[in-house]
Amino acid sequence: MHLNILTQSAAIKLVALAEADPERRAEARRRAPAAIAYASYEDLLARPEVEAVVICLPTALHAEVARAAFAAGKHVYLEKPLAASLVEGEAVLAAWQRSNLVGMIGFNYRFNALYQAARRQIGAAAIGAPLGAQTTFSAAARNLPDWKRQRRTGGSALLDLGSHHLDLVPFLFRRPAVAVAARIESRQSEDDTAWIQLELAGGAVVQSLFSLSAVDEDRVTLYGSAGKLSVDRIHGWNVEYAPAHAATGRLGAFTEQLRRIAGSPYLRERVLAPSSEPSFRTSLEHFAAVVRNRQLDYPDLSHGYQALALVEAAEAAAKQNQPLRLRNSHNVEITAPEHDSYQPAPLHGALT
């Protein structure tokens, strides 16, 4: 995914890549013949002409390689999750904050045009006062690599899939999570299915299912006092809006569906490449733009830490079989809505 985008983007020049596996390295060299291919990331980071790196390694390696990249003076785009644990995440956060470099987390769905449209509509009070959300992010059972089958090496539905929605829904509502409850099961791999309930500041409740053993689905439905918004990222053409009092007949509903398709920001992609996810390219090219212009806003590593803290809080809630209130890095219980831009202070590991 990343290599194809980096080799085709006019905004980025791919000069080097690192891949430990010889066969995969040979394939990468074939796809990117102009880039020097290394067997180790250390050799890549030693190249002075490399300004920025994209880290898309197994989760257990994220912290180690990100810290090394900042120490080498490179801007970093780090795929989610930030790390396999909050302890490792704190070390990455500290290295980034010392570096004065760009540290962007791979929450590419923030750049998905459907989610951006939904966020604008919520901000314009299209659904009235937020009441809650229901989300599902799941995948059909597949033959997973070994590292994705164990939690300690970065596997689990929460880290692999849930990280996205645990960032996305508070981002859409512009409100941080203040409490979490969870149930986690191991069906075909460790912790591969999780049910999560978040309470957001202001009282909205979010219920989510994350599973690596279900069906291919990524859907978010956002409810308010005046209506609801639905986004089907995989199959949808546009944001679906339904007012609180729907009186549309069959013909009206069909006309509305045609209007949504005609106005889809992904019309071309849905027709030519139905399984593509355009936000990967948008996110990576935004990273390049931020490196050139530090004034641009972007999801930084503190947002990755925030989502990782929610993952660990959910795991603790499931283990204790009770909801947990969340505290921020100042050990203050989170209760009030944040500023409209939603830049919350990172959550601390302490929970109540």
Side-chain angles (χ1 to χ4, degrees):
M1 178 68 71
H2 299 75
L3 185 60
N4 291 341
I5 293 169
L6 295 172
T7 54
Q8 296 168 13
S9 173
I12 298 165
K13 180 180 179 182
L14 182 65
V15 297
L17 57 91
E19 169 58 61
D21 182 87
E23 291 185 7
R24 293 174 65 87
R25 187 166 63 252
E27 174 62 17
R29 185 182 287 113
R30 187 188 66 78
R31 295 191 191 189
I36 300 174
Y38 293 105
S40 73
Y41 72 84
E42 293 93 341
D43 291 336
L44 183 151
L45 293 178
R47 293 192 66 88
E49 74 272 28
V50 172
E51 296 178 79
V53 295
V54 176
I55 300 173
C56 43
L57 292 163
T59 300
L61 295 171
H62 283 191
E64 170 191 327
V65 180
R67 291 170 63 192
F70 287 126
K74 314 302 184 187
H75 302 288
V76 171
Y77 182 102
L78 178 60
E79 260 304 339
K80 48 62 53 190
L82 179 70
S85 71
L86 272 184
V87 172
E88 291 182 347
E90 287 166 359
V92 175
L93 212 57
W96 165 58
Q97 290 167 341
R98 288 194 303 266
S99 73
N100 195 33
L101 295 163
V102 174
M104 181 167 168
I105 192 73
F107 285 145
N108 56 288
Y109 294 152
R110 287 192 180 204
F111 295 89
N112 182 293
L114 303 182
Y115 290 131
Q116 288 188 339
R119 190 169 191 261
R120 287 193 299 270
Q121 292 182 51
I122 293 171
I127 62 172
L131 297 177
Q134 291 181 327
T135 88
T136 299
F137 197 175
S138 62
R142 292 175 172 86
N143 186 23
L144 299 174
D146 288 343
W147 71 267
K148 281 198 174 190
R149 301 184 64 83
Q150 302 178 64
R151 171 61 180 83
R152 65 179 179 82
T153 53
S156 83
L158 276 175
L159 283 175
D160 199 9
L161 303 176
S163 296
H164 276 300
H165 282 201
L166 294 178
D167 169 73
L168 187 62
V169 176
F171 173 72
L172 293 173
F173 277 137
R174 295 177 169 88
R175 295 165 185 244
V178 298
V180 60
R183 173 183 168 188
I184 300 174
E185 292 185 356
S186 300
R187 300 195 170 208
Q188 299 193 42
S189 59
E190 188 175 19
D191 296 351
D192 65 355
T193 301
W195 295 263
I196 306 297
Q197 180 165 298
L198 295 180
E199 179 188 341
L200 304 184
V205 174
V206 182
Q207 296 176 321
S208 298
L209 166 65
F210 306 120
S211 180
L212 295 166
S213 303
V215 298
D216 291 329
E217 184 168 321
D218 187 359
R219 182 185 295 272
V220 174
T221 303
L222 309 143
Y223 296 90
S225 58
K228 72 174 184 178
L229 297 172
S230 299
V231 176
D232 183 342
R233 183 186 63 82
I234 297 176
H235 305 292
W237 294 82
N238 214 328
V239 179
E240 296 186 11
Y241 170 74
H245 300 286
T248 306
R250 185 174 299 177
L251 179 59
F254 179 71
T255 302
E256 176 63 17
Q257 181 66 17
L258 290 179
R259 185 193 65 79
R260 289 195 202 103
I261 293 174
S264 170
Y266 287 152
L267 181 60
R268 183 174 183 273
E269 288 84 353
R270 285 288 184 257
V271 173
L272 300 180
S275 61
S276 71
E277 175 45 58
S279 66
F280 280 111
R281 177 180 299 277
T282 309
S283 184
L284 286 168
E285 292 188 343
H286 188 78
F287 169 62
V290 172
V291 170
R292 294 187 178 95
N293 179 6
R294 304 288 192 89
Q295 302 304 311
L296 295 178
D297 187 32
Y298 66 98
D300 63 41
L301 298 188
S302 70
H303 296 100
Y305 184 85
Q306 182 87 5
L308 182 58
L310 281 177
V311 168
E312 287 208 357
E315 291 171 335
K319 187 174 183 179
Q320 298 176 30
N321 194 30
Q322 64 179 7
L324 295 177
R325 304 295 301 180
L326 304 176
R327 294 177 178 271
N328 64 19
S329 56
H330 304 293
N331 202 32
V332 176
E333 190 170 297
I334 304 171
T335 57
E338 297 285 344
H339 186 269
D340 185 65
S341 63
Y342 183 58
Q343 299 287 337
L347 291 175
H348 190 62
L351 302 167
T352 60

